[in-house]
Amino acid sequence: MIDYDRYDFEIDGAVLKKYNGDSPAVVIPEGVEKIGYDAFAGKSTLVEATFPKSLKVIGFSAFKSCSSLSAVNLPEGLTAINDEAFRFCGKLKSVKLPEGLVSIGRWAFTDCAQLESIALPKSVKSIGFSAFSGCKSLSDILLPDGLSGVEDYLFSGCASLKSITIPSSSSLIGKWAFKDCTALESIVIPDKTQEVGEGAFKNCISLKSAALSENLVSVGRWSFSGCASLAEIFIPKRVTVIDMCAFADCPNLTIYCETKKPLFGLPKKWNKDWLGGNGAKVIWNK
């Protein structure tokens, strides 16, 4: 039986369903295995939470809009952080994630504007759509091997992100994944990656170096548009699709294409407006 204050905590079995108190520091009772939907949501007085060793799952929106929560130290044994779990925790500066964590849900840390760093354990196999979008203070992150791809909007709006390592297991860079990452200076897209999605690096104005995968097949529309500092990029021979305005508003860019330019027009599936009319220089058969 879990020992707890029945006024402050509503617990059903091993699920903490609701916290009714207003303390700035909360100790969640040992024996709780899951923090349920909205359990602490909107608790603006909450600054610190101590988690039990028994905890396995943090549920949907569990700490959403806890605007004073500043640090999270999660226990070994935790396997899942669900959708929106810490969304809008604007003062959250540090998060310690345990080895053994498998999944991070959609929007899990969205708009944690003061979050500066987060270490993702090797055990993480899935990170959902937009999980870290709007984390304006996040400066660097290492994605674990085993991820099948970088999801849509994953780091969109992370204006302080200077460096990121994409794992070799990734086959996709999702739509708008790094949009408005204005401090990002370089990117290496691993060999398994076949697609760079729509707007993936749009408005990455500090991006100076982008190494594309030799197995890349598709470059989505607006994928590198607005990368004003990008000086050169090499398009591998296997690329069959380059969509509209993929390199628009890149005024200093020289594009080296491994493929030989056809006698008339462009390769079959390359959009006629792939350069967006910005006058970027193109060199073929290089």
Side-chain angles (χ1 to χ4, degrees):
M1 181 178 291
I2 301 174
D3 184 22
Y4 62 95
D5 185 322
R6 295 179 186 275
Y7 173 78
D8 281 349
F9 297 101
E10 295 178 21
I11 297 177
D12 184 4
V15 180
L16 195 167
K17 302 191 88 173
K18 195 70 178 176
Y19 174 68
N20 297 312
D22 57 6
S23 174
V26 173
V27 178
I28 297 169
E30 193 62 50
V32 168
E33 295 181 4
K34 180 178 180 179
I35 299 173
Y37 171 76
D38 263 3
F40 290 86
K43 292 290 181 181
S44 59
T45 57
L46 183 65
V47 175
E48 179 185 357
T50 301
F51 297 88
K53 293 179 181 178
S54 54
L55 188 64
K56 296 179 181 177
V57 176
I58 296 177
F60 295 92
S61 304
F63 293 90
K64 183 179 179 180
S65 299
C66 288
S67 56
S68 299
L69 187 65
S70 61
V72 171
N73 191 348
L74 298 170
E76 299 294 331
L78 184 72
T79 59
I81 298 173
N82 287 339
D83 295 0
E84 299 192 83
F86 295 96
R87 189 174 190 176
F88 302 133
C89 291
K91 291 187 178 178
L92 189 63
K93 291 184 178 180
S94 66
V95 177
K96 182 181 179 183
L97 302 178
E99 191 63 46
L101 182 68
V102 176
S103 65
I104 298 172
R106 298 172 297 176
W107 306 288
F109 294 94
T110 291
D111 290 325
C112 292
Q114 293 189 33
L115 185 64
E116 296 175 352
S117 65
I118 188 166
L120 298 176
K122 294 179 181 179
S123 55
V124 172
K125 300 302 179 189
S126 69
I127 303 175
F129 171 103
S130 197
F132 297 99
S133 63
C135 292
K136 297 178 181 179
S137 300
L138 190 66
S139 59
D140 64 88
I141 193 164
L142 177 64
L143 295 176
D145 285 332
L147 288 181
S148 60
V150 177
E151 291 290 336
D152 296 353
Y153 293 91
L154 188 55
F155 297 101
S156 179
C158 292
S160 298
L161 188 67
K162 291 184 177 180
S163 65
I164 186 164
T165 301
I166 298 174
S168 59
S169 54
S170 177
S171 62
L172 168 70
I173 308 296
K175 296 177 181 178
W176 315 103
F178 297 94
K179 179 180 177 286
D180 296 327
C181 289
T182 53
L184 188 65
E185 295 180 351
S186 65
I187 193 77
V188 176
I189 297 175
D191 286 343
K192 283 189 178 181
T193 302
Q194 297 184 344
E195 180 179 352
V196 175
E198 177 180 321
F201 297 96
K202 192 174 192 297
N203 295 336
C204 290
I205 58 174
S206 298
L207 190 67
K208 297 175 183 176
S209 171
L212 302 184
S213 160
E214 285 297 319
N215 294 306
L216 194 67
V217 173
S218 176
V219 180
R221 57 183 176 174
W222 303 303
S223 52
F224 289 92
S225 69
C227 293
S229 299
L230 193 60
E232 62 180 26
I233 196 166
F234 294 81
I235 307 295
K237 189 175 290 187
R238 294 187 183 185
V239 172
T240 57
V241 177
I242 298 186
D243 215 332
M244 181 179 69
C245 296
F247 298 99
D249 301 316
C250 298
N252 302 306
L253 181 62
T254 299
I255 301 172
Y256 297 90
C257 301
E258 281 191 344
T259 190
K260 186 177 180 180
K261 186 178 180 180
L263 290 175
F264 302 99
L266 293 166
K268 195 180 237 181
K269 295 182 181 180
W270 289 28
N271 189 283
K272 66 178 181 179
D273 295 319
W274 67 299
L275 296 178
N278 68 342
K281 184 178 180 181
V282 182
I283 298 176
W284 297 88
N285 200 24
K286 287 290 183 179

